[in-house]
Amino acid sequence: MTHEPFGKEVRTPSRAWRVRTDAWEFLGYALKQLNTGRAAKSSQASLRDQIQRALGVLAAVEPYWAAPGVATVARLSDAVSNGEFQSAVDLLASVAPQLPSSGLPDEAQRNGRASHEVQEPDAVDRRDNGLKPRFEVLLVDDITEEEAESLKSDMYSQRRPTDSFHYEVTVVPSYEDALVALLLNRDIQACILRPGFDITSKLPLGRDLRKFLAGHVSDRLEGMRPIGRIIDLAERISELRPELDVYLVAGVSIETLASSLTRRFRRIFRRQDHLDLHLSLLSGIAERYETPFFTAIQNYSRRPSSVFHALPISRGGSVGSSPWIRDMADFYGLNLLLAETSATSGGLDSLLDPHGSIKRAQDLAARAFGAERTYFVTNGTSTANKIVHQSILAPGDIVLVDRNCHKSHHYAFALAGAQVSYLDAYPLDKYAFYGAVPLASIKQRLLDYRREGRLDEVKMITLTNCTFDGIVYDVERVMEECLAIKPDLVFLWDEAWFAFAGFHPVYRRRTAMAAARKLASSFNDPSYAARYAKQEAILQNAETNEYADDDVWLRTRLIPDPKKTKLRVYATQSTHKTLTSLRQGSMIHVYDQAFREMNQESFREAYMTHTSTSPNYQILASLDIGRRQVELEGFGLVQRQADLATSLAEAVARNALLKKYFRILTTHDLVPAQYRTSTSPMPLRDGYSTFEHAWQHDEFVVDPSRLTLDISRTGVDGDTFRHQYLADKHGIQVNKTSRNSVLFMTNIGTSRSAVAYLIEVLVKLAETFENEAPAALAGQADTPLIAGPPTTTPPLPDFSHFAARFRTDVSTPDGDIRAAFFESYRAGATAHATPHDLSAQIAQGTEVISAGFVTPYPPGFPILVPGQVITTQTLDFMAALDTKEIHGFNPDQGYLVFKD
């Protein structure tokens, strides 16, 4: 059994959970080895050294956890120093329920555990604590150890057997320690601030944490009064972990404080109010724990009822009495059948007109995701996208859209009758997929419409964030600069793969809802208006009212006029893709300052148009329970998800055999240099502060939980590698491949064992390739090491243009995709043509127009849309693809084109 060497400080918060878990597990193993005499004499000295290093790590991190805590570490250290290994083993056994687990979920962390340091009153049944969800409370005050233990005893004495939750208190003495605790300890659910805390941590923090603190702890704190420090810390907590409840405990006249601090604190208490504080802590958790619709469906399933309406399967009626399909109940369980109903009464609700439990569940989701309002969707984000587009767009409205967006957007435009203006993302030709749309391209397109006098026709812009391959926009900057050109522009951010991002402080700032809220706050700041006035003098002549040249607008970091701008932001999320939900569970989040006056009725009609009158209640219930989970443990799960991906990337890079055949693509591969100021190829690997800096400043970043594996040196194409090598032989599922790459994604359900298994499989495959590789090619870095398909990939085709008859104005690129889509329905309007015939026609100068969507998988977006002119570049790309799945292309007949 081997372990990585332990350091003596907290090096980076993103992996502290893993290092802490490993240290405790190693101690359990090593102490048993020494105690039982199993360790060879030659290795005992080394084992003792490793034990001391593990204890050093725990001495650095345990101050930020209530249990097992620093007292346990100190007692273990004393026992080891004295050679009392049996005592050390016994001590570890006594705190075993408190130890972190490397499994998923961390049951030992989340289940109730009574601290061995503070005895509970006899009235509390200890047996119940193991069944109650457990959380930790962070108390920030510089007090002695004796005062801390006395304070904990006072708080624990308020516990009752009827309490729904179990908590323990972690005390830290300083502002900096509070921030570190929030990053390291994902079990913290509430913070109590008292006026006596210091500013600087006295604990040994690593360079990464020190850099993080330097960016988050203001020099102004030294000169602040205690109440100023408290307010500043409360605001910082809200930025890092907005889901947490923050309480103020003061010894002065709290009536005066309450009138000015209510917004920052859930409640304010005097020091003696232990019972009210205890009840408030539990109440705060109960509010996040609430699942209105999930609870309603459970209550419904427990009540006896007779069904005289649709749904024979309801309550298992058509299943339980059947000798032929009884295995359905055996497989899915009775609860699923009991919960199946089309009723909307008895505590249930109507998704199409919610006023009860569904309405409450949606309101809680809006709170969790930072939206003004949230709507549940039970048939996927494909439908969510159509709802939003239909609610905003009318025939003739221009929509700017990322050309390589999901197909649901293209079909939505055909239904809405919008004029579509496609934006090209930067291509990654070597790997046969696109990146994202540069901000300069978006600004240029808006300025082009302004120059042609058509900017008023531009209604909205739709972008995918993050992209399938993990490219993430700077959402705040994109909206800010676009609104400076068109103040009423509507934004739809397709966050199908980004629902998890709102629950981590670094990810969050690049989500639609967080960016919208930040911009709204900025617009209310008088200094923002002053900045705009200074910019306006540069961009527009006050006397002639003429705009400066476009290149000035392109060079300037634009901000909008806060008096004229209305934030109208929508985000669609496939909750089921990255959070806990049954398949097709999605949400629409809305932050629209003009919603009631401009979109409420049209949104309702669009929602009615696309939403089933028989929604799946189990999907709705799973959306409700998934929201509960991320509000209570989302931060830790997302942190874990990103760290596990980083550990996988490091394993590939360090293993000599693996890196001979595989390579994880980095930010340098996926984001061209002109779109980033950071220099780290893998920011999270290089530390939390590096990660944070890149996500604050770069135009595009890469989601570290999405790993693109370059397999070009194996000589195997992506589709074959996915199906034959991973799925068929080893049971590993992946979602996407390109011609020479495979995309791996970690999620909140990924375990360390799963990552270890994937590494093991990659090693086995590399060994297979090693046996097949020609010796002469070994070591040639850019050459496939085994025979296989050509690794050169044809250039990705840009969107050509719409045919003139589908364009309103040939000076702008937008086209009427609806007219082209439905023209193909007309009898005799279309015909099929083979690629060879099309190439011949194009060579003769004939304009050939696509009559349908053509979507190869991969790359998974329409290469052709109705009304688009087909070019040689497109045909060459399609001819070189070896993918088996192409929607809209008939291998025998060819492409569907318009006859004329």
PDB file of all heavy atoms in Angstrom, residues 39-63:
ATOM      1  N   ALA A  39       4.551  -4.616  10.086  1.00  0.00           N
ATOM      2  CA  ALA A  39       5.524  -3.857   9.313  1.00  0.00           C
ATOM      3  C   ALA A  39       6.922  -4.411   9.555  1.00  0.00           C
ATOM      4  O   ALA A  39       7.337  -4.623  10.695  1.00  0.00           O
ATOM      5  CB  ALA A  39       5.457  -2.383   9.706  1.00  0.00           C
ATOM      6  N   ALA A  40       7.650  -4.647   8.507  1.00  0.00           N
ATOM      7  CA  ALA A  40       9.026  -5.119   8.629  1.00  0.00           C
ATOM      8  C   ALA A  40       9.869  -4.080   9.345  1.00  0.00           C
ATOM      9  O   ALA A  40       9.633  -2.875   9.233  1.00  0.00           O
ATOM     10  CB  ALA A  40       9.594  -5.410   7.247  1.00  0.00           C
ATOM     11  N   LYS A  41      10.881  -4.555  10.078  1.00  0.00           N
ATOM     12  CA  LYS A  41      11.720  -3.627  10.841  1.00  0.00           C
ATOM     13  C   LYS A  41      12.382  -2.606   9.928  1.00  0.00           C
ATOM     14  O   LYS A  41      12.569  -1.442  10.300  1.00  0.00           O
ATOM     15  CB  LYS A  41      12.774  -4.414  11.617  1.00  0.00           C
ATOM     16  CG  LYS A  41      12.212  -5.214  12.782  1.00  0.00           C
ATOM     17  CD  LYS A  41      13.338  -5.875  13.574  1.00  0.00           C
ATOM     18  CE  LYS A  41      12.763  -6.629  14.775  1.00  0.00           C
ATOM     19  NZ  LYS A  41      13.837  -7.256  15.589  1.00  0.00           N
ATOM     20  N   SER A  42      12.725  -3.030   8.728  1.00  0.00           N
ATOM     21  CA  SER A  42      13.406  -2.127   7.794  1.00  0.00           C
ATOM     22  C   SER A  42      12.512  -0.981   7.331  1.00  0.00           C
ATOM     23  O   SER A  42      12.999   0.058   6.899  1.00  0.00           O
ATOM     24  CB  SER A  42      13.897  -2.912   6.580  1.00  0.00           C
ATOM     25  OG  SER A  42      12.807  -3.558   5.930  1.00  0.00           O
ATOM     26  N   SER A  43      11.189  -1.196   7.407  1.00  0.00           N
ATOM     27  CA  SER A  43      10.258  -0.166   6.918  1.00  0.00           C
ATOM     28  C   SER A  43       9.596   0.626   8.043  1.00  0.00           C
ATOM     29  O   SER A  43       8.856   1.558   7.788  1.00  0.00           O
ATOM     30  CB  SER A  43       9.170  -0.808   6.057  1.00  0.00           C
ATOM     31  OG  SER A  43       8.388  -1.698   6.836  1.00  0.00           O
ATOM     32  N   GLN A  44       9.878   0.241   9.281  1.00  0.00           N
ATOM     33  CA  GLN A  44       9.209   0.903  10.402  1.00  0.00           C
ATOM     34  C   GLN A  44       9.590   2.373  10.500  1.00  0.00           C
ATOM     35  O   GLN A  44       8.744   3.231  10.775  1.00  0.00           O
ATOM     36  CB  GLN A  44       9.517   0.172  11.707  1.00  0.00           C
ATOM     37  CG  GLN A  44       8.806  -1.162  11.836  1.00  0.00           C
ATOM     38  CD  GLN A  44       9.052  -1.820  13.175  1.00  0.00           C
ATOM     39  OE1 GLN A  44       9.633  -1.232  14.078  1.00  0.00           O
ATOM     40  NE2 GLN A  44       8.589  -3.061  13.308  1.00  0.00           N
ATOM     41  N   ALA A  45      10.853   2.690  10.298  1.00  0.00           N
ATOM     42  CA  ALA A  45      11.283   4.084  10.388  1.00  0.00           C
ATOM     43  C   ALA A  45      10.588   4.933   9.336  1.00  0.00           C
ATOM     44  O   ALA A  45      10.126   6.053   9.610  1.00  0.00           O
ATOM     45  CB  ALA A  45      12.801   4.180  10.237  1.00  0.00           C
ATOM     46  N   SER A  46      10.511   4.400   8.113  1.00  0.00           N
ATOM     47  CA  SER A  46       9.838   5.128   7.040  1.00  0.00           C
ATOM     48  C   SER A  46       8.353   5.320   7.362  1.00  0.00           C
ATOM     49  O   SER A  46       7.780   6.385   7.111  1.00  0.00           O
ATOM     50  CB  SER A  46       9.995   4.376   5.716  1.00  0.00           C
ATOM     51  OG  SER A  46       9.232   4.979   4.698  1.00  0.00           O
ATOM     52  N   LEU A  47       7.756   4.259   7.934  1.00  0.00           N
ATOM     53  CA  LEU A  47       6.344   4.336   8.268  1.00  0.00           C
ATOM     54  C   LEU A  47       6.098   5.394   9.346  1.00  0.00           C
ATOM     55  O   LEU A  47       5.135   6.155   9.276  1.00  0.00           O
ATOM     56  CB  LEU A  47       5.861   2.967   8.744  1.00  0.00           C
ATOM     57  CG  LEU A  47       4.368   2.639   8.579  1.00  0.00           C
ATOM     58  CD1 LEU A  47       3.930   2.816   7.139  1.00  0.00           C
ATOM     59  CD2 LEU A  47       4.096   1.206   9.037  1.00  0.00           C
ATOM     60  N   ARG A  48       6.998   5.460  10.307  1.00  0.00           N
ATOM     61  CA  ARG A  48       6.862   6.464  11.360  1.00  0.00           C
ATOM     62  C   ARG A  48       6.986   7.876  10.773  1.00  0.00           C
ATOM     63  O   ARG A  48       6.259   8.787  11.170  1.00  0.00           O
ATOM     64  CB  ARG A  48       7.940   6.259  12.436  1.00  0.00           C
ATOM     65  CG  ARG A  48       7.706   5.059  13.338  1.00  0.00           C
ATOM     66  CD  ARG A  48       8.926   4.822  14.217  1.00  0.00           C
ATOM     67  NE  ARG A  48       8.804   3.639  15.044  1.00  0.00           N
ATOM     68  CZ  ARG A  48       8.443   3.669  16.332  1.00  0.00           C
ATOM     69  NH1 ARG A  48       8.160   4.815  16.923  1.00  0.00           N
ATOM     70  NH2 ARG A  48       8.372   2.542  17.029  1.00  0.00           N
ATOM     71  N   ASP A  49       7.904   8.044   9.835  1.00  0.00           N
ATOM     72  CA  ASP A  49       8.061   9.359   9.197  1.00  0.00           C
ATOM     73  C   ASP A  49       6.779   9.759   8.454  1.00  0.00           C
ATOM     74  O   ASP A  49       6.336  10.911   8.522  1.00  0.00           O
ATOM     75  CB  ASP A  49       9.237   9.343   8.224  1.00  0.00           C
ATOM     76  CG  ASP A  49      10.580   9.305   8.936  1.00  0.00           C
ATOM     77  OD1 ASP A  49      10.614   9.616  10.142  1.00  0.00           O
ATOM     78  OD2 ASP A  49      11.584   8.947   8.283  1.00  0.00           O
ATOM     79  N   GLN A  50       6.196   8.798   7.746  1.00  0.00           N
ATOM     80  CA  GLN A  50       4.957   9.090   7.019  1.00  0.00           C
ATOM     81  C   GLN A  50       3.814   9.401   7.976  1.00  0.00           C
ATOM     82  O   GLN A  50       2.976  10.261   7.686  1.00  0.00           O
ATOM     83  CB  GLN A  50       4.591   7.904   6.122  1.00  0.00           C
ATOM     84  CG  GLN A  50       5.482   7.757   4.901  1.00  0.00           C
ATOM     85  CD  GLN A  50       5.012   6.621   4.013  1.00  0.00           C
ATOM     86  OE1 GLN A  50       5.326   5.464   4.252  1.00  0.00           O
ATOM     87  NE2 GLN A  50       4.239   6.961   3.011  1.00  0.00           N
ATOM     88  N   ILE A  51       3.791   8.714   9.104  1.00  0.00           N
ATOM     89  CA  ILE A  51       2.769   9.010  10.115  1.00  0.00           C
ATOM     90  C   ILE A  51       2.918  10.446  10.610  1.00  0.00           C
ATOM     91  O   ILE A  51       1.933  11.177  10.750  1.00  0.00           O
ATOM     92  CB  ILE A  51       2.853   8.009  11.278  1.00  0.00           C
ATOM     93  CG1 ILE A  51       2.351   6.634  10.830  1.00  0.00           C
ATOM     94  CG2 ILE A  51       2.037   8.499  12.476  1.00  0.00           C
ATOM     95  CD1 ILE A  51       2.547   5.538  11.866  1.00  0.00           C
ATOM     96  N   GLN A  52       4.143  10.853  10.866  1.00  0.00           N
ATOM     97  CA  GLN A  52       4.366  12.214  11.339  1.00  0.00           C
ATOM     98  C   GLN A  52       3.947  13.244  10.292  1.00  0.00           C
ATOM     99  O   GLN A  52       3.364  14.288  10.626  1.00  0.00           O
ATOM    100  CB  GLN A  52       5.845  12.403  11.707  1.00  0.00           C
ATOM    101  CG  GLN A  52       6.283  11.647  12.949  1.00  0.00           C
ATOM    102  CD  GLN A  52       5.523  12.089  14.200  1.00  0.00           C
ATOM    103  OE1 GLN A  52       5.072  13.228  14.311  1.00  0.00           O
ATOM    104  NE2 GLN A  52       5.367  11.163  15.140  1.00  0.00           N
ATOM    105  N   ARG A  53       4.217  12.938   9.029  1.00  0.00           N
ATOM    106  CA  ARG A  53       3.801  13.871   7.971  1.00  0.00           C
ATOM    107  C   ARG A  53       2.282  13.930   7.869  1.00  0.00           C
ATOM    108  O   ARG A  53       1.702  14.998   7.668  1.00  0.00           O
ATOM    109  CB  ARG A  53       4.421  13.481   6.637  1.00  0.00           C
ATOM    110  CG  ARG A  53       5.920  13.794   6.554  1.00  0.00           C
ATOM    111  CD  ARG A  53       6.392  13.750   5.109  1.00  0.00           C
ATOM    112  NE  ARG A  53       6.356  12.402   4.556  1.00  0.00           N
ATOM    113  CZ  ARG A  53       7.366  11.540   4.635  1.00  0.00           C
ATOM    114  NH1 ARG A  53       8.482  11.892   5.258  1.00  0.00           N
ATOM    115  NH2 ARG A  53       7.280  10.337   4.097  1.00  0.00           N
ATOM    116  N   ALA A  54       1.613  12.773   7.994  1.00  0.00           N
ATOM    117  CA  ALA A  54       0.149  12.757   7.958  1.00  0.00           C
ATOM    118  C   ALA A  54      -0.426  13.549   9.124  1.00  0.00           C
ATOM    119  O   ALA A  54      -1.390  14.311   8.971  1.00  0.00           O
ATOM    120  CB  ALA A  54      -0.363  11.317   7.990  1.00  0.00           C
ATOM    121  N   LEU A  55       0.165  13.381  10.305  1.00  0.00           N
ATOM    122  CA  LEU A  55      -0.275  14.144  11.467  1.00  0.00           C
ATOM    123  C   LEU A  55      -0.037  15.638  11.254  1.00  0.00           C
ATOM    124  O   LEU A  55      -0.831  16.479  11.707  1.00  0.00           O
ATOM    125  CB  LEU A  55       0.442  13.667  12.729  1.00  0.00           C
ATOM    126  CG  LEU A  55       0.015  12.290  13.256  1.00  0.00           C
ATOM    127  CD1 LEU A  55       0.979  11.812  14.338  1.00  0.00           C
ATOM    128  CD2 LEU A  55      -1.416  12.343  13.799  1.00  0.00           C
ATOM    129  N   GLY A  56       1.048  15.986  10.549  1.00  0.00           N
ATOM    130  CA  GLY A  56       1.306  17.388  10.243  1.00  0.00           C
ATOM    131  C   GLY A  56       0.240  17.984   9.344  1.00  0.00           C
ATOM    132  O   GLY A  56      -0.202  19.124   9.545  1.00  0.00           O
ATOM    133  N   VAL A  57      -0.179  17.212   8.339  1.00  0.00           N
ATOM    134  CA  VAL A  57      -1.267  17.666   7.473  1.00  0.00           C
ATOM    135  C   VAL A  57      -2.545  17.883   8.284  1.00  0.00           C
ATOM    136  O   VAL A  57      -3.222  18.908   8.163  1.00  0.00           O
ATOM    137  CB  VAL A  57      -1.522  16.645   6.341  1.00  0.00           C
ATOM    138  CG1 VAL A  57      -2.846  16.925   5.644  1.00  0.00           C
ATOM    139  CG2 VAL A  57      -0.393  16.688   5.341  1.00  0.00           C
ATOM    140  N   LEU A  58      -2.866  16.911   9.121  1.00  0.00           N
ATOM    141  CA  LEU A  58      -4.106  17.006   9.898  1.00  0.00           C
ATOM    142  C   LEU A  58      -4.045  18.142  10.914  1.00  0.00           C
ATOM    143  O   LEU A  58      -5.060  18.788  11.191  1.00  0.00           O
ATOM    144  CB  LEU A  58      -4.384  15.676  10.589  1.00  0.00           C
ATOM    145  CG  LEU A  58      -4.694  14.523   9.633  1.00  0.00           C
ATOM    146  CD1 LEU A  58      -4.850  13.213  10.398  1.00  0.00           C
ATOM    147  CD2 LEU A  58      -5.955  14.818   8.827  1.00  0.00           C
ATOM    148  N   ALA A  59      -2.880  18.399  11.449  1.00  0.00           N
ATOM    149  CA  ALA A  59      -2.744  19.531  12.376  1.00  0.00           C
ATOM    150  C   ALA A  59      -3.036  20.844  11.665  1.00  0.00           C
ATOM    151  O   ALA A  59      -3.510  21.805  12.284  1.00  0.00           O
ATOM    152  CB  ALA A  59      -1.333  19.555  12.965  1.00  0.00           C
ATOM    153  N   ALA A  60      -2.778  20.887  10.341  1.00  0.00           N
ATOM    154  CA  ALA A  60      -3.024  22.104   9.570  1.00  0.00           C
ATOM    155  C   ALA A  60      -4.483  22.250   9.150  1.00  0.00           C
ATOM    156  O   ALA A  60      -5.007  23.365   9.087  1.00  0.00           O
ATOM    157  CB  ALA A  60      -2.124  22.126   8.339  1.00  0.00           C
ATOM    158  N   VAL A  61      -5.164  21.115   8.868  1.00  0.00           N
ATOM    159  CA  VAL A  61      -6.531  21.224   8.346  1.00  0.00           C
ATOM    160  C   VAL A  61      -7.615  21.039   9.401  1.00  0.00           C
ATOM    161  O   VAL A  61      -8.709  21.612   9.274  1.00  0.00           O
ATOM    162  CB  VAL A  61      -6.760  20.224   7.192  1.00  0.00           C
ATOM    163  CG1 VAL A  61      -5.817  20.495   6.044  1.00  0.00           C
ATOM    164  CG2 VAL A  61      -6.659  18.795   7.664  1.00  0.00           C
ATOM    165  N   GLU A  62      -7.366  20.245  10.429  1.00  0.00           N
ATOM    166  CA  GLU A  62      -8.426  19.949  11.395  1.00  0.00           C
ATOM    167  C   GLU A  62      -8.939  21.160  12.166  1.00  0.00           C
ATOM    168  O   GLU A  62     -10.076  21.134  12.641  1.00  0.00           O
ATOM    169  CB  GLU A  62      -7.976  18.863  12.376  1.00  0.00           C
ATOM    170  CG  GLU A  62      -7.989  17.460  11.796  1.00  0.00           C
ATOM    171  CD  GLU A  62      -9.345  17.039  11.239  1.00  0.00           C
ATOM    172  OE1 GLU A  62     -10.362  17.210  11.932  1.00  0.00           O
ATOM    173  OE2 GLU A  62      -9.379  16.549  10.105  1.00  0.00           O
ATOM    174  N   PRO A  63      -8.156  22.242  12.325  1.00  0.00           N
ATOM    175  CA  PRO A  63      -8.754  23.430  12.959  1.00  0.00           C
ATOM    176  C   PRO A  63      -9.982  23.958  12.238  1.00  0.00           C
ATOM    177  O   PRO A  63     -10.753  24.732  12.811  1.00  0.00           O
ATOM    178  CB  PRO A  63      -7.602  24.451  12.918  1.00  0.00           C
ATOM    179  CG  PRO A  63      -6.359  23.636  12.936  1.00  0.00           C
ATOM    180  CD  PRO A  63      -6.696  22.425  12.115  1.00  0.00           C
TER     181      PRO A  63
END
